[in-house]
Amino acid sequence: MTRTSLPGPRLVLLVLLVLLSTVAPAACGGDDRPAAAGTQTESTGDASTTSTPSTVTGSTTGTDETTSASSGPPPLPLPRATDFVITVQNISATGMMRSPLSAGLWVNHDPGALTLFIPQWPDEGLGLQALAEDGVPAPLAAALTMRDGVHDTGVFDTPMGADEPGPLLPGDSYRFTVTAEPMTRLSLGLMVVGSNDLFIAPNPEGLSLFGGGGQPLAARDVSESLRVWDAGTEQDQAPGQGPFQALHGGSPDLGPAEPPVPSVIRPHQSSTRAIPLGPDLVEVVVTEDPQTPGRLEVRLINISQFRGTMVTPLSSLVWALHDDSVTLFTAGDPAPAALQALAEDGDTGPYDALLGGTPGVADHGVIPGPIAPGGTVSFLITPSAEASRLSLATMVVQSNDAFVALAPEGLPLLDDQGPIDAEALTARLAAQLSPWDAGTEANEVPGAGRHQPLRQEFPNTGPPETRNPTVHRYADVTDDLAGDRAGDSLAVTVDEQGGEFTLTLTNASGPTAFPRQLSQLVWVLHEPTFAMIEPDTLASSSLRALAEDGQGFGLASSMSFLPGVATAAVVDTPIGARAPMSLQPGQSYTIVVTPDATHRSLSFATMIQPSNDTFAALEPPGVALLDPAGIPRPTAAIEAELAAALRAWDAGTEGNQAGAAGADMMPGSFPSEGPNNGIGLVLPAADNEIWSVPPASSLVRVTIAPVER
């Protein structure tokens, strides 16, 4: 047999690998764990089967020789390039966050080679931003071909069974083949589309393809070796609920940047109706009853106050133990009456009665609420082959019709081997419990809506939902502070008499989906070139005090000494009030100013409450009350300009929490408390101070299988 000559270094490497293989296969950790000796798992995308490989016969003299039992195992084959089939499946359908996944890239590289990113460092500008924000992998794949230690790269973008490239929808799979040299590794990355800049990838060292002696590792699932990473290039919004996320039509690279803290003053661009994922609201713990074999205790803790993203009571809880013919609800269908009662008003009575007469329900119960933040409830179940699934549901009280539940078909408590252990069930419950929207009542801002249980006059009084009147994952991306007058924060009327202007500023938010308070208001009379706020700059300490805590005297004082300012003052007592107080819906402040030909423009700012650091202010340089000749302008024209120039702004000093129910929002929190906006570094998404995201293993399943050439 003729053998092709190998270059010197390659030959030395192969000889060393063979010598190592004759001593003992190297122990592998993490994703390097091979299958049990003598077996090979063949990946089918959705399942795996085990087969026995054919016998390997050694040949050293040119004739076949049978190795005796006393001579030890036969030597392993000479290490060689191997083809690997990689299958990437979107499994988010039943998890806490249903999301498409983008096209992705793969990189075959040496150990230690620099590939997709460096943790704790900013994005290098090679294409990670395009992948993480917009799901475009090609630029990064092309750039990495120039890196030392990178052997090959490629893009996977066409779902199995599809005729053209497209995103990976829940349940679908990508499949591609990589040819790798012995001891090289594999990295891959793809975007979580229901995010601003989250992507799935292994740790930077990548995934092992070869084990001891340079032999290809058996087929295996490497999902647990993947993580969700935050590229740090765009400010994070609620998972699946951000108006600038690709899932909701955000244009490429459109969302607000995430520079190092503190961030900058920018127009408000977040959903005011966001609700966090299940892990920010509920912790579930399953334990086995030591006194009764087979019986489980399921304990739920309202942890909303500890995470702080959204602090809310939970309603009474309904649960059921049932077979696979029962569902509490059907996604995409109108909510049944029992679900409407629970989701709108926390009334579990109709569900309890319904479950009592439903075939396939073996056991069910109700735990009276409300379950206050920090509160714990529990119930006991004994699963069996005839009743192997658990369902439960509880209302998010600071909402109109949002509820936390498992997938409609419930959570399996048994598998093919029998009962699933309590620790595994705890993890599966945490990965599946998610907020749902019953679609029966129009959403208002969580924590502020006047038709929500803590504020409504009577049950079931809110207007019906018209946009999506079916049961669906909660994903309201509305920004109630968008548009003129900062989303109807203030209505301003102007009266002028003899050059003196009286402005009446009324909190007009009462009829809206976000009834809000306004803090004391800072106003400035100034030259036309002066700017009270400067977008895209860091907020001053005095502006931060107004935007985070509603304290305006420091801002007024600092403004009064600036060139171009005639007067800066604070108004904090509504008309008819006897003492300073926040401006409630329907109440008004009054400003009286006398401009001159030099100082003829007006600006003002007030904090929107509840919020973290959102304020309403006129776009710079304010609105002129006099024309350039010093003559009073028509009051109707002034009013129109004030309405158009009044915007909601984000001071960029504190991360925005959910709706109006965050733990660090004023009023109700201590001054200057609250989470950061982000730090502009590539970090594990689990480090996010505000929004929990699912683990990668509940979004994607990735298998790697060697194949014979």
Side-chain angles (χ1 to χ4, degrees):
M1 180 176 67
T2 301
R3 189 181 299 272
T4 303
S5 297
L6 295 175
R10 174 73 184 278
L11 179 60
V12 172
L13 173 62
L14 294 180
V15 170
L16 287 173
L17 292 175
V18 171
L19 289 174
L20 286 171
S21 69
T22 61
V23 178
C28 300
D31 67 277
D32 293 345
R33 291 188 298 272
T39 65
Q40 176 169 309
T41 304
E42 299 177 350
S43 172
T44 63
D46 297 321
S48 49
T49 58
T50 302
S51 61
T52 303
S54 58
T55 303
V56 178
T57 302
S59 177
T60 59
T61 65
T63 59
D64 293 341
E65 296 180 357
T66 303
T67 304
S68 65
S70 61
S71 64
L76 294 173
L78 192 69
R80 54 186 170 81
T82 304
D83 293 335
F84 294 88
V85 173
I86 293 90
T87 304
V88 179
Q89 183 184 20
N90 185 331
I91 60 170
S92 68
T94 60
M96 72 175 79
M97 178 185 171
R98 180 186 177 97
S99 174
L101 302 174
S102 77
L105 78 154
W106 59 265
V107 185
N108 178 227
H109 57 89
D110 289 335
L114 185 60
T115 56
L116 275 67
F117 62 96
I118 306 173
Q120 307 288 339
W121 281 79
D123 171 38
E124 299 177 276
L126 299 179
L128 180 63
Q129 182 172 4
L131 172 70
E133 291 188 13
D134 307 313
V136 179
L140 183 58
L144 292 178
T145 60
M146 307 301 294
R147 280 269 167 89
D148 291 340
V150 170
H151 293 257
D152 200 4
T153 69
V155 167
F156 50 93
D157 59 6
T158 303
M160 295 175 64
D163 296 327
E164 57 186 24
L168 195 65
L169 301 179
D172 291 344
S173 298
Y174 291 129
R175 181 169 289 172
F176 56 96
T177 300
V178 174
T179 301
E181 294 291 329
M183 307 314 292
T184 59
R185 302 177 74 86
L186 178 74
S187 290
L188 53 85
L190 64 168
M191 179 195 181
V192 180
V193 177
S195 74
N196 293 83
D197 61 346
L198 301 182
F199 65 99
I200 297 173
N203 286 323
E205 59 266 24
L207 302 166
S208 297
L209 298 173
F210 299 89
Q215 301 304 306
L217 291 170
R220 70 206 195 282
D221 185 331
V222 297
S223 307
E224 294 294 338
S225 297
L226 303 176
R227 304 176 78 174
V228 179
W229 300 86
D230 187 332
T233 57
E234 188 170 301
Q235 185 182 9
D236 293 324
Q237 299 168 322
Q241 302 168 55
F244 292 103
Q245 295 168 356
L247 186 63
H248 299 292
S251 299
D253 196 24
L254 180 65
E258 188 177 37
V261 171
S263 188
V264 296
I265 303 167
R266 64 170 71 95
H268 185 272
Q269 297 174 309
S270 297
S271 167
T272 53
R273 302 187 188 179
I275 286 180
L277 297 180
D280 287 334
L281 298 173
V282 183
E283 180 181 349
V284 185
V285 180
V286 180
T287 55
E288 298 173 357
D289 186 346
Q291 306 301 322
T292 308
R295 188 162 72 171
L296 303 173
E297 180 188 47
V298 181
R299 188 166 74 254
L300 289 87
I301 308 116
N302 181 339
I303 62 168
S304 63
Q305 70 178 30
F306 306 118
R307 178 69 175 182
T309 302
M310 177 181 183
V311 181
T312 178
L314 301 173
S315 74
S316 298
L317 180 139
V318 61
W319 62 269
L321 188 64
H322 56 85
D323 62 22
D324 58 9
S325 70
V326 177
T327 58
L328 286 192
F329 56 91
T330 302
D333 285 355
L339 178 58
Q340 181 174 2
L342 169 68
E344 289 189 16
D345 304 306
D347 182 2
T348 52
Y351 243 134
D352 191 39
L354 177 65
L355 292 170
T358 300
V361 175
D363 197 6
H364 67 96
V366 165
I367 299 177
I371 307 169
T376 300
V377 297
S378 64
F379 56 92
L380 297 172
I381 55 173
T382 304
S384 64
E386 295 74 29
S388 61
R389 292 178 177 264
L390 172 67
S391 290
L392 56 86
T394 178
M395 180 195 182
V396 180
V397 174
Q398 289 277 37
S399 75
N400 294 83
D401 61 346
F403 63 102
V404 176
L406 300 171
E409 65 275 11
L411 181 76
L413 305 175
L414 310 177
D415 58 21
D416 293 340
Q417 284 72 47
I420 301 172
D421 69 81
E423 183 177 355
L425 285 177
T426 295
R428 295 185 188 189
L429 279 164
Q432 193 181 107
L433 206 60
S434 179
W436 294 79
D437 189 327
T440 58
E441 187 170 301
N443 292 327
E444 299 170 315
V445 174
R450 65 188 187 282
H451 295 114
Q452 295 164 359
L454 297 182
R455 286 164 291 279
Q456 66 184 0
E457 189 173 358
F458 301 104
N460 195 26
T461 55
E465 178 61 75
T466 57
R467 294 185 298 178
N468 186 358
T470 66
V471 184
H472 56 278
R473 298 294 184 115
Y474 189 95
D476 197 327
V477 301
T478 305
D479 178 6
D480 293 274
L481 299 178
D484 294 351
R485 304 198 304 180
D488 287 328
S489 292
L490 280 172
V492 185
T493 60
V494 181
D495 180 67
E496 184 268 326
Q497 298 290 333
E500 182 181 80
F501 289 80
T502 301
L503 287 80
T504 302
L505 304 95
T506 302
N507 184 334
S509 68
T512 73
F514 186 8
R516 69 211 79 153
Q517 305 171 40
L518 300 173
S519 75
Q520 50 189 223
L521 182 142
V522 179
W523 61 268
V524 182
L525 185 64
H526 55 83
E527 295 178 357
T529 57
F530 176 84
M532 183 179 183
I533 63 169
E534 296 185 46
D536 301 320
T537 66
L538 298 179
S540 65
S541 59
S542 56
L543 179 58
R544 177 174 184 168
L546 175 72
E548 287 191 15
D549 308 318
Q551 301 298 317
F553 285 101
L555 181 61
S557 177
S558 65
M559 291 282 165
S560 63
F561 295 102
L562 295 178
V565 172
T567 308
V570 169
V571 56
D572 59 1
T573 304
I575 296 174
R578 297 182 179 180
M581 59 182 293
S582 296
L583 195 68
Q584 305 297 317
Q587 292 184 324
S588 302
Y589 288 142
T590 298
I591 299 173
V592 180
V593 296
T594 304
D596 56 47
T598 300
H599 306 94
R600 56 189 181 88
S601 293
L602 179 73
S603 294
F604 56 78
T606 177
M607 181 190 180
I608 294 172
Q609 302 173 339
S611 76
N612 293 88
D613 62 345
T614 304
F615 63 101
L618 296 177
E619 292 180 332
V623 172
L625 304 178
L626 307 178
D627 65 18
I631 299 173
R633 300 179 61 216
T635 56
I638 296 172
E639 290 174 355
E641 286 191 22
L642 288 169
L646 185 60
R647 298 288 181 206
W649 301 84
D650 190 324
T653 57
E654 189 171 301
N656 295 327
Q657 296 166 323
D664 302 300
M665 295 177 174
M666 288 292 288
S669 69
F670 293 103
S672 298
E673 286 194 347
N676 290 328
N677 258 336
I679 55 178
L681 306 178
V682 183
L683 294 171
D687 293 346
N688 192 301
E689 290 189 68
I690 307 174
W691 304 109
S692 288
V693 298
S697 58
S698 71
L699 294 171
V700 67
R701 178 184 295 122
V702 177
T703 58
I704 302 177
V707 293
E708 291 294 333
R709 289 186 136 189

